[in-house]
Amino acid sequence: MLMNPLNAAVAPRGRTVLLSSVSSDSHTWNLVFLQLLLEEMGHRVINLGACVPDELLVRECSAIRPDLVVISTVNGHGQVDGARLIGKLRSEPRTRDTPVVIGGKLGITGGAEADGMARRLVSAGFSAVFQDDAEPAEIGRFLASLDHPAPRHPVAAS
Amino acid sequence: MSTSGSFAGLAARRRAAGLLVQPRMGFSDPRWMRAGLAAVRRARAATVGTLTLDSYTRVKDYDTAERALADGYPLNGYPLVTHGPDTTRAVLDGIQGPGFPVQVRHGSPLPDDIIAALVTAGLDATEGGPVSYCLPYSRVPLREATASWARSCERFAELRDRGVEPHLESFGGCMMGQMCPPGLLIAITVLEGLFFHRHGLRSISLSYAQQTDARQDEEAVAALRSLATAFLPDDTDWHIVVYTYMGKYPRTHGGALLVLRAAAELAVRTGATRLIVKTPAESYRIPTIEENVEALEFAGAAAAAEATRTPPDPARVPDTGIAAEARQLIEAVLDLHPDVGQALVRAFAKGYLDVPYCLHSDNHGRARGYIDEAGRLRWASVGSMPIRGITGGTREHTVGSSELLSALSYVERTHDLLALRSQDTRTSDALDAGTTAADLRQA
């Protein structure tokens, strides 16, 4: 069950981005905004919406084979839900090498624990972690960087 | 109607004690939850207590909630189902009572377990609704949520057999927190109130969340009152609850208090019974007990101050068509089917109700809201809703990402700027100046 498209225009060289929240997160403004932004950059966005179960995301990701998966979450459970989710994506052959980034409010206590959390999420398998204060355009730069054969070791942005 | 039930005496308490203020507080540790409720009860304001549930309970992921409790990982609310009735009774013991009702706030589209758990734990007040807790927050089909809410309402209403009057609040006045023009908010909360009544509840509250413009909000709450009076059957004991702005909240302490003060004033001017309060910490983390108490006391004081002012001239708030728009939506939905639940499902399928920016697959997703130059929330597109032109025309161009981002942060930005201009963001002194966000826009 996919969510409604917000905008249909896709540039010929646009990328396919699978956009999603995590299983316990019901917030969607972040997803609505990111979809509009990525579509305006000329990318094709498949927006899975709120409270996406891990299995649904793995299934959609295996079927769609997107160029990038963007996980955006702001309910403070991203640290736990994200780590569990990336484990499942990385253990599945068809999604093992798909670039997957996560961003938003990932913990419930604000900034103090942020750096350690980003490191843990990257070592769990995320390609990059975008903290709450990251510029939205950083996602666009990350997508652009996918044009070049990137080193396989992950980077953490903050 | 029985008179026991913790929300039964609310109207009388409102008349005697002033606007009732209520937090959105929830902690996973029962000791903290109890301490939080005790502090809210002690606060220097007429308070109502809240158990806000965590988001794992909302999606029925009890395994993860249980693991988190076992690991000592803090959740973003109180896991009512996982803790079980004995723990919850101990949390409430000696705190909940006739002078201090406690309401469960959750956000679940399938509330069966939550309603069962709260009844077993001796609670009798909660909130939600088949539309308002399904479309914005879940991927559960609307038909399923409607069936679950119907069952849950009927089970909840059985409390009356034990001499307890259960209370249910519709969250319909909040849809997405922001960017939904008032006519649709009012229509959804009234329709959910009718749904609750149809499924046996008689003590009901209807909601309205503060939006971007104080005068528009005043007109909206007055419209809600007149439509609730017109549509809810005479045997309904109902009141209005105002929510402090539920969208992106100011980051400065002073800016957040300005929004909160405006919400308290809105509630008093429109005769609302309760106000749901947000704290200045809300924009970046879960607030502490002390921050909740501070915000409740601030809101209570702002309400008391507003109550001493001369009642506003009703002519001050012009009729821009909000009531007509909401009535048109309510009547169009009720015409679709004699059962209000089925009417709601059909209304969304036909696009007669269409929540702006809501991604749920049962929502048409063609309606769009925007904020006009004057700061009022308007329709950019009404989709298939039968309300074209009632509150003014729509517009040609769509809302892009930068306009959306700017609109989402409009309340945050204008109030932060006002607070910073007053040169003191740490205290509420600045708020005595009597300046408002509207003044800022004039400047």
Side-chain angles (χ1 to χ4, degrees), chain B residues 2-20:
Chain B
S2 61
T3 49
S4 113
S6 59
F7 269 48
L10 225 56
R13 184 150 172 253
R14 164 74 177 86
R15 282 191 297 275
L19 181 70
L20 303 175

PDB file of all heavy atoms in Angstrom, chain B residues 2-20:
ATOM      1  N   SER B   2     -25.896   9.315  35.074  1.00  0.00           N
ATOM      2  CA  SER B   2     -25.215   9.214  36.365  1.00  0.00           C
ATOM      3  C   SER B   2     -24.257  10.387  36.517  1.00  0.00           C
ATOM      4  O   SER B   2     -23.814  10.979  35.550  1.00  0.00           O
ATOM      5  CB  SER B   2     -24.448   7.895  36.438  1.00  0.00           C
ATOM      6  OG  SER B   2     -23.485   7.861  35.413  1.00  0.00           O
ATOM      7  N   THR B   3     -23.954  10.724  37.749  1.00  0.00           N
ATOM      8  CA  THR B   3     -23.090  11.884  37.949  1.00  0.00           C
ATOM      9  C   THR B   3     -21.674  11.493  38.349  1.00  0.00           C
ATOM     10  O   THR B   3     -20.803  12.337  38.397  1.00  0.00           O
ATOM     11  CB  THR B   3     -23.654  12.817  39.038  1.00  0.00           C
ATOM     12  OG1 THR B   3     -23.975  12.024  40.165  1.00  0.00           O
ATOM     13  CG2 THR B   3     -24.880  13.546  38.537  1.00  0.00           C
ATOM     14  N   SER B   4     -21.447  10.219  38.654  1.00  0.00           N
ATOM     15  CA  SER B   4     -20.070   9.839  38.946  1.00  0.00           C
ATOM     16  C   SER B   4     -19.330   9.683  37.624  1.00  0.00           C
ATOM     17  O   SER B   4     -19.928   9.609  36.571  1.00  0.00           O
ATOM     18  CB  SER B   4     -20.034   8.561  39.792  1.00  0.00           C
ATOM     19  OG  SER B   4     -19.472   7.509  39.058  1.00  0.00           O
ATOM     20  N   GLY B   5     -18.021   9.622  37.679  1.00  0.00           N
ATOM     21  CA  GLY B   5     -17.232   9.696  36.443  1.00  0.00           C
ATOM     22  C   GLY B   5     -16.410  10.942  36.563  1.00  0.00           C
ATOM     23  O   GLY B   5     -16.922  12.007  36.908  1.00  0.00           O
ATOM     24  N   SER B   6     -15.102  10.810  36.309  1.00  0.00           N
ATOM     25  CA  SER B   6     -14.217  11.903  36.718  1.00  0.00           C
ATOM     26  C   SER B   6     -14.432  13.182  35.905  1.00  0.00           C
ATOM     27  O   SER B   6     -14.130  14.262  36.363  1.00  0.00           O
ATOM     28  CB  SER B   6     -12.764  11.439  36.637  1.00  0.00           C
ATOM     29  OG  SER B   6     -12.463  11.037  35.332  1.00  0.00           O
ATOM     30  N   PHE B   7     -14.969  13.068  34.675  1.00  0.00           N
ATOM     31  CA  PHE B   7     -15.184  14.277  33.890  1.00  0.00           C
ATOM     32  C   PHE B   7     -16.598  14.847  34.072  1.00  0.00           C
ATOM     33  O   PHE B   7     -16.929  15.874  33.508  1.00  0.00           O
ATOM     34  CB  PHE B   7     -14.927  14.010  32.400  1.00  0.00           C
ATOM     35  CG  PHE B   7     -13.509  14.279  31.979  1.00  0.00           C
ATOM     36  CD1 PHE B   7     -12.444  13.777  32.703  1.00  0.00           C
ATOM     37  CD2 PHE B   7     -13.235  15.039  30.842  1.00  0.00           C
ATOM     38  CE1 PHE B   7     -11.128  14.021  32.319  1.00  0.00           C
ATOM     39  CE2 PHE B   7     -11.929  15.298  30.446  1.00  0.00           C
ATOM     40  CZ  PHE B   7     -10.874  14.790  31.186  1.00  0.00           C
ATOM     41  N   ALA B   8     -17.437  14.131  34.877  1.00  0.00           N
ATOM     42  CA  ALA B   8     -18.837  14.547  35.005  1.00  0.00           C
ATOM     43  C   ALA B   8     -18.978  15.942  35.623  1.00  0.00           C
ATOM     44  O   ALA B   8     -19.834  16.714  35.222  1.00  0.00           O
ATOM     45  CB  ALA B   8     -19.612  13.516  35.821  1.00  0.00           C
ATOM     46  N   GLY B   9     -18.124  16.259  36.579  1.00  0.00           N
ATOM     47  CA  GLY B   9     -18.268  17.544  37.247  1.00  0.00           C
ATOM     48  C   GLY B   9     -17.430  18.659  36.640  1.00  0.00           C
ATOM     49  O   GLY B   9     -17.236  19.708  37.234  1.00  0.00           O
ATOM     50  N   LEU B  10     -16.934  18.419  35.434  1.00  0.00           N
ATOM     51  CA  LEU B  10     -15.960  19.344  34.853  1.00  0.00           C
ATOM     52  C   LEU B  10     -16.518  20.750  34.632  1.00  0.00           C
ATOM     53  O   LEU B  10     -15.847  21.739  34.919  1.00  0.00           O
ATOM     54  CB  LEU B  10     -15.479  18.763  33.516  1.00  0.00           C
ATOM     55  CG  LEU B  10     -13.983  18.805  33.255  1.00  0.00           C
ATOM     56  CD1 LEU B  10     -13.219  18.104  34.355  1.00  0.00           C
ATOM     57  CD2 LEU B  10     -13.667  18.153  31.920  1.00  0.00           C
ATOM     58  N   ALA B  11     -17.762  20.807  34.127  1.00  0.00           N
ATOM     59  CA  ALA B  11     -18.336  22.121  33.808  1.00  0.00           C
ATOM     60  C   ALA B  11     -18.480  22.963  35.064  1.00  0.00           C
ATOM     61  O   ALA B  11     -18.162  24.160  35.066  1.00  0.00           O
ATOM     62  CB  ALA B  11     -19.680  21.935  33.107  1.00  0.00           C
ATOM     63  N   ALA B  12     -18.934  22.301  36.164  1.00  0.00           N
ATOM     64  CA  ALA B  12     -19.098  23.037  37.419  1.00  0.00           C
ATOM     65  C   ALA B  12     -17.743  23.521  37.933  1.00  0.00           C
ATOM     66  O   ALA B  12     -17.599  24.647  38.416  1.00  0.00           O
ATOM     67  CB  ALA B  12     -19.764  22.138  38.453  1.00  0.00           C
ATOM     68  N   ARG B  13     -16.739  22.657  37.798  1.00  0.00           N
ATOM     69  CA  ARG B  13     -15.395  23.030  38.261  1.00  0.00           C
ATOM     70  C   ARG B  13     -14.854  24.183  37.428  1.00  0.00           C
ATOM     71  O   ARG B  13     -14.187  25.084  37.939  1.00  0.00           O
ATOM     72  CB  ARG B  13     -14.490  21.799  38.168  1.00  0.00           C
ATOM     73  CG  ARG B  13     -13.111  22.025  38.716  1.00  0.00           C
ATOM     74  CD  ARG B  13     -12.483  20.774  39.291  1.00  0.00           C
ATOM     75  NE  ARG B  13     -11.095  21.060  39.611  1.00  0.00           N
ATOM     76  CZ  ARG B  13     -10.061  20.592  38.902  1.00  0.00           C
ATOM     77  NH1 ARG B  13     -10.260  19.777  37.887  1.00  0.00           N
ATOM     78  NH2 ARG B  13      -8.833  20.931  39.227  1.00  0.00           N
ATOM     79  N   ARG B  14     -15.154  24.162  36.132  1.00  0.00           N
ATOM     80  CA  ARG B  14     -14.728  25.241  35.244  1.00  0.00           C
ATOM     81  C   ARG B  14     -15.335  26.575  35.696  1.00  0.00           C
ATOM     82  O   ARG B  14     -14.660  27.596  35.739  1.00  0.00           O
ATOM     83  CB  ARG B  14     -15.160  24.911  33.803  1.00  0.00           C
ATOM     84  CG  ARG B  14     -15.137  26.078  32.814  1.00  0.00           C
ATOM     85  CD  ARG B  14     -13.715  26.436  32.434  1.00  0.00           C
ATOM     86  NE  ARG B  14     -13.650  27.511  31.442  1.00  0.00           N
ATOM     87  CZ  ARG B  14     -13.656  28.803  31.735  1.00  0.00           C
ATOM     88  NH1 ARG B  14     -13.751  29.203  32.987  1.00  0.00           N
ATOM     89  NH2 ARG B  14     -13.556  29.699  30.776  1.00  0.00           N
ATOM     90  N   ARG B  15     -16.638  26.532  36.056  1.00  0.00           N
ATOM     91  CA  ARG B  15     -17.304  27.775  36.481  1.00  0.00           C
ATOM     92  C   ARG B  15     -16.701  28.292  37.781  1.00  0.00           C
ATOM     93  O   ARG B  15     -16.512  29.490  37.957  1.00  0.00           O
ATOM     94  CB  ARG B  15     -18.809  27.533  36.659  1.00  0.00           C
ATOM     95  CG  ARG B  15     -19.583  27.501  35.343  1.00  0.00           C
ATOM     96  CD  ARG B  15     -21.096  27.528  35.575  1.00  0.00           C
ATOM     97  NE  ARG B  15     -21.579  26.359  36.294  1.00  0.00           N
ATOM     98  CZ  ARG B  15     -21.893  25.203  35.703  1.00  0.00           C
ATOM     99  NH1 ARG B  15     -21.768  25.077  34.388  1.00  0.00           N
ATOM    100  NH2 ARG B  15     -22.328  24.189  36.411  1.00  0.00           N
ATOM    101  N   ALA B  16     -16.367  27.366  38.685  1.00  0.00           N
ATOM    102  CA  ALA B  16     -15.868  27.778  39.998  1.00  0.00           C
ATOM    103  C   ALA B  16     -14.386  28.155  39.970  1.00  0.00           C
ATOM    104  O   ALA B  16     -13.969  29.125  40.594  1.00  0.00           O
ATOM    105  CB  ALA B  16     -16.104  26.644  40.996  1.00  0.00           C
ATOM    106  N   ALA B  17     -13.592  27.390  39.223  1.00  0.00           N
ATOM    107  CA  ALA B  17     -12.132  27.525  39.359  1.00  0.00           C
ATOM    108  C   ALA B  17     -11.466  28.207  38.169  1.00  0.00           C
ATOM    109  O   ALA B  17     -10.285  28.522  38.219  1.00  0.00           O
ATOM    110  CB  ALA B  17     -11.522  26.139  39.563  1.00  0.00           C
ATOM    111  N   GLY B  18     -12.216  28.436  37.103  1.00  0.00           N
ATOM    112  CA  GLY B  18     -11.604  29.026  35.913  1.00  0.00           C
ATOM    113  C   GLY B  18     -11.205  27.949  34.920  1.00  0.00           C
ATOM    114  O   GLY B  18     -11.473  26.759  35.120  1.00  0.00           O
ATOM    115  N   LEU B  19     -10.566  28.410  33.840  1.00  0.00           N
ATOM    116  CA  LEU B  19     -10.186  27.502  32.755  1.00  0.00           C
ATOM    117  C   LEU B  19      -9.381  26.315  33.296  1.00  0.00           C
ATOM    118  O   LEU B  19      -8.446  26.482  34.055  1.00  0.00           O
ATOM    119  CB  LEU B  19      -9.345  28.266  31.721  1.00  0.00           C
ATOM    120  CG  LEU B  19      -8.881  27.460  30.510  1.00  0.00           C
ATOM    121  CD1 LEU B  19     -10.058  27.109  29.603  1.00  0.00           C
ATOM    122  CD2 LEU B  19      -7.826  28.240  29.729  1.00  0.00           C
ATOM    123  N   LEU B  20      -9.763  25.098  32.896  1.00  0.00           N
ATOM    124  CA  LEU B  20      -9.036  23.911  33.316  1.00  0.00           C
ATOM    125  C   LEU B  20      -7.853  23.701  32.376  1.00  0.00           C
ATOM    126  O   LEU B  20      -8.014  23.728  31.157  1.00  0.00           O
ATOM    127  CB  LEU B  20      -9.955  22.689  33.288  1.00  0.00           C
ATOM    128  CG  LEU B  20     -11.223  22.824  34.140  1.00  0.00           C
ATOM    129  CD1 LEU B  20     -12.129  21.612  33.946  1.00  0.00           C
ATOM    130  CD2 LEU B  20     -10.875  22.990  35.615  1.00  0.00           C
TER     131      LEU B  20
END
